[in-house]
Amino acid sequence: NHRRDPVAPLRPSQSAAGMRPLHALCVLAGVLLAYAPAVLAPPLLLGIGLATLLLALWRARRQPLAGFLAAFLSGWCWAGLQASLQLAERLPTVQTLTLTARVVELPERRGQTLRLMLAPEDRPDLPRRIRVNWWGEAPAVGAGERWRMTLKLRPVRGLANPGGFDFERQALVEGIGAIGSVQNEPAPVRLSTGTGLVALRAELSAGIAALPEPAPQTPLLRALELGDTGQLAEATCARWRQLGLTPLIAISGLHVTLVGTLGAVLAGGICWLFPRLMLIRPRIQWQAVAALVGATGYSVLAGFGVPAQRTL
């Protein structure tokens, strides 16, 4: 029968490929179960889950149910471990201290308040990301700069009112371990200018702001191209929210897909100009690599937020 039907030997692999969506659903079910209870799983239970995961992986080749169990446990252990690590590094009490920190996100100006995302450099006991407000007349702070400043930090707390904004959940998504404010005494000191990728984002944002465009359009261009929403007015954000167009401001599917498509078209044009490239690899492979490189580079340049990661 195999000689008459050459497709017959491929049927087992095709059935295995058809089971992959079920494995993905098992991973998703494990993630949801990790976050469903009000209390996260203790480390001992996570360790038992990891041991069971290894055993299920060892038996997955012979028993399909073991593969589903391994997929479920991988999602459950991964989500529980990530949440436990995030909550473990949160600041437990109110503290006032002096430290050296680097500005790791684009600063946001809200009226008379400057909002900064800091990463401490000389205090390994503190969370990796701290959000602070600089009240009053704050100096010009650039992304990627290093500062020596005194901060009053407090634990992350949010309101649990139904229908209200869940700040604690948002802090968990952004990896914020503490919030606070900058103290003007002693005066903060700038140690170095901006460096790194975040400084490049700030430079590109400043270049967009210097374009000869009408002033009301400039903040919107910075938000659409780089994800820099710090200059958007509250009235503009409220209007977009009422119209249901807020996802267009976030760097997500539309933006990343456009850049990836542009990379694929550009690679196709280069292959058309230099046909010898297609003797090395087919044109569609050159286009796939160019699309992936373009989408990855733009996602990183736009801040690599959760919507951009999902699209990528």
Side-chain angles (χ1 to χ4, degrees):
N1 292 332
H2 288 174
R3 293 178 181 177
R4 295 180 182 177
D5 188 5
V7 184
L10 299 179
R11 286 173 181 169
S13 62
Q14 289 175 352
S15 63
M19 295 170 64
R20 290 173 185 168
L22 298 179
H23 289 93
L25 289 177
C26 290
V27 174
L28 178 60
V31 173
L32 294 177
L33 182 63
Y35 294 146
V39 181
L40 292 174
L44 177 61
L45 190 58
L46 288 176
I48 296 175
L50 287 174
T52 309
L53 170 61
L54 296 177
L55 180 62
L57 288 174
W58 180 63
R59 301 285 297 180
R61 283 182 172 270
R62 300 179 181 179
Q63 297 180 357
L65 290 179
F68 293 127
L69 178 61
F72 173 81
L73 289 175
S74 64
W76 182 72
C77 293
W78 177 79
L81 182 62
Q82 289 290 325
S84 299
L85 292 176
Q86 288 253 9
L87 294 178
E89 73 169 10
R90 284 192 170 182
L91 192 72
T93 58
V94 178
Q95 300 181 20
T96 301
L97 42 85
T98 302
L99 52 81
T100 300
R102 183 171 180 265
V103 182
V104 294
E105 293 288 347
L106 298 178
E108 298 182 14
R109 174 73 66 174
R110 300 294 183 185
Q112 296 296 323
T113 305
L114 182 64
R115 181 175 296 175
L116 304 174
M117 187 73 73
L118 304 178
E121 294 185 344
D122 57 348
R123 294 294 301 266
D125 56 319
L126 293 178
R128 290 173 293 177
R129 290 169 66 89
I130 298 174
R131 201 192 75 176
V132 299
N133 292 326
W134 196 330
W135 309 98
E137 296 295 331
V141 179
E145 294 181 348
R146 296 175 62 250
W147 284 75
R148 184 73 177 174
M149 57 179 58
T150 300
L151 305 177
K152 184 177 182 180
L153 302 178
R154 61 182 185 275
V156 176
R157 292 290 184 266
L159 301 178
N161 298 331
F165 177 69
D166 191 349
F167 174 73
E168 194 166 357
R169 175 183 179 275
Q170 185 65 26
L172 185 66
V173 170
E174 298 181 9
I176 300 174
I179 57 178
S181 58
V182 179
Q183 306 297 301
N184 294 322
E185 294 294 337
V189 179
R190 180 186 286 108
L191 301 179
S192 64
T193 57
T195 57
L197 184 62
V198 66
L200 176 60
R201 289 186 64 203
E203 183 178 353
L204 293 175
S205 181
I208 295 175
L211 292 175
E213 295 286 343
Q217 297 181 10
T218 303
L220 188 58
L221 286 175
R222 297 164 74 174
L224 291 174
E225 297 183 14
L226 295 173
D228 182 8
T229 59
Q231 306 300 324
L232 285 175
E234 291 294 339
T236 303
C237 295
R239 189 182 309 115
W240 281 60
R241 194 180 304 113
Q242 292 171 359
L243 294 175
L245 300 177
T246 305
L248 295 179
I249 301 179
I251 302 298
S252 57
L254 177 64
H255 308 74
V256 178
T257 306
L258 281 175
V259 176
T261 304
L262 179 62
V265 172
L266 182 62
I270 293 176
C271 290
W272 181 75
L273 292 175
F274 303 98
R276 291 183 178 274
L277 292 175
M278 289 182 285
L279 298 177
I280 304 174
R281 291 290 179 184
R283 181 177 59 181
I284 193 173
Q285 293 187 8
W286 289 109
Q287 290 180 305
V289 171
L292 181 61
V293 170
T296 304
Y298 180 69
S299 299
V300 174
L301 191 62
F304 208 54
V306 174
Q309 295 178 32
R310 181 177 60 247
T311 305
L312 180 63

